[in-house]
Amino acid sequence: MDGFVDLHCHILPGVDDGAKDMVDALALIDMARADGTAALVLTPHYRGRYRENTPGMLREVLTALQKKTPRMELYLANEAGYERELTDKLAEGRVLTINGSRYVLLELPMDIDPAQTLSAVREVADQAFIPILAHVERYDVFLRNRGLIDRVLDMGALIQINADSVLGQQGFAAKRFCHWLLKSRRAHFVASDSHDLKYRPPKLRECCEYVTKKYGEEYAAALFRENARVVLAGE
Ligand SMILES: [Fe+2]
């Protein structure tokens, strides 16, 4: 079986609140490989002070990292924090889409309301990007308004959830919401959103085995591998 494709992680060293340095990043990559991951999409934050990281600088760090770990497939994107100028910045290449495709890993403000959610997603989708909503189970706005999920799906958005939330490690409400998404086949990707070895590690295997048991092999393959491969191919 092919390895996992982790669509969301903070392993690019020294650029956000994830891997601190090259040694840390290589330890995280070793852990991911041992867990069965074949490809990592490195998704450093684009928000707040991390907006000072330029795409050129991120690509340089990626090149240095790839040289030290040639066996792991590495790809680059930003976890793009929504802001008013985001679509312009995406179009100009100042914020990175996933592997240069039309797919954008989109993060929303945690305190966003339903109307703002719809307008943010619409704005990105209207510019011919395909928003992939990062860890939807972490937002109150979706937990309190499940119908919003169908509204954003109708706009062409795709849904990513975190492996630790599926396993219940982020509380009951997040877990219950993830299982509603999975049971109704509304989720498209499970990723690690890993930041470190201990609290948010780059592990997918346990979650994949659990999802396989509960929801079947075919859907698990789509969530942990195949859908992300489609994104990376820019299809
Ligand atoms: Fe993240």
Side-chain angles (χ1 to χ4, degrees):
M1 197 190 284
D2 292 344
F4 306 125
V5 182
D6 192 350
L7 199 69
H8 181 173
C9 68
H10 299 270
I11 293 180
L12 197 67
V15 298
D16 65 4
D17 57 345
K20 286 190 244 344
D21 51 26
M22 194 60 88
V23 173
D24 198 17
L26 292 171
L28 284 159
I29 290 171
D30 280 349
M31 181 183 266
R33 185 187 295 116
D35 194 60
T37 295
L40 293 166
V41 184
L42 308 169
T43 53
H45 290 291
Y46 182 86
R47 65 163 151 84
R49 64 194 165 95
Y50 305 130
R51 294 149 86 238
E52 285 161 30
N53 297 328
T54 63
M57 174 265 214
L58 296 175
R59 283 196 192 96
E60 261 175 48
V61 181
L62 173 69
T63 304
L65 180 62
Q66 185 76 81
K67 274 189 194 144
K68 291 186 184 283
T69 180
R71 284 167 56 217
M72 178 64 83
E73 285 177 63
L74 300 178
Y75 302 93
L76 191 59
N78 278 122
E79 180 177 7
Y82 177 77
E83 58 179 36
R84 229 155 33 92
E85 302 79 16
L86 183 64
T87 52
D88 290 341
K89 290 181 178 176
L90 286 164
E92 290 161 10
R94 290 157 64 198
V95 179
L96 296 167
T97 62
I98 298 175
N99 196 34
S101 69
R102 306 302 294 174
Y103 295 87
V104 177
L105 185 65
L106 183 65
E107 182 178 42
L108 300 168
M110 279 294 154
D111 58 354
I112 198 166
D113 71 26
Q116 292 166 334
T117 302
L118 292 173
S119 79
V121 173
R122 186 177 298 117
E123 196 180 315
V124 176
D126 276 356
Q127 296 303 312
F129 294 108
I130 301 170
I132 297 177
L133 295 184
H135 45 59
V136 290
E137 78 284 0
R138 291 186 55 196
Y139 299 95
D140 276 347
V141 76
F142 288 116
L143 267 60
R144 290 186 184 159
N145 308 276
R146 287 188 176 184
L148 267 188
I149 290 286
D150 287 331
R151 302 281 303 275
V152 299
L153 288 172
D154 285 346
M155 292 175 189
L158 301 171
I159 302 292
Q160 183 257 308
I161 54 180
N162 286 355
D164 61 353
S165 300
V166 175
L167 293 172
Q169 292 158 1
Q170 298 296 330
F172 180 66
K175 180 179 180 179
R176 188 173 57 180
F177 190 70
C178 285
H179 284 271
W180 172 70
L181 292 169
L182 290 167
K183 201 172 173 188
S184 59
R185 302 295 192 266
R186 284 175 167 91
H188 302 93
F189 312 94
V190 178
S192 74
D193 194 11
S194 60
H195 282 66
D196 54 62
L197 292 167
K198 197 170 172 194
Y199 300 104
R200 287 200 272 177
K203 288 187 170 179
L204 293 172
R205 176 168 299 282
E206 184 187 351
C207 185
C208 182
E209 287 173 358
Y210 177 64
V211 168
T212 302
K213 242 183 247 163
K214 260 182 114 62
Y215 303 105
E217 208 160 294
E218 202 177 315
Y219 190 34
L223 289 164
F224 289 85
R225 282 183 275 273
E226 291 162 4
N227 290 346
R229 286 288 177 197
V230 171
V231 168
L232 287 173
E235 289 165 359

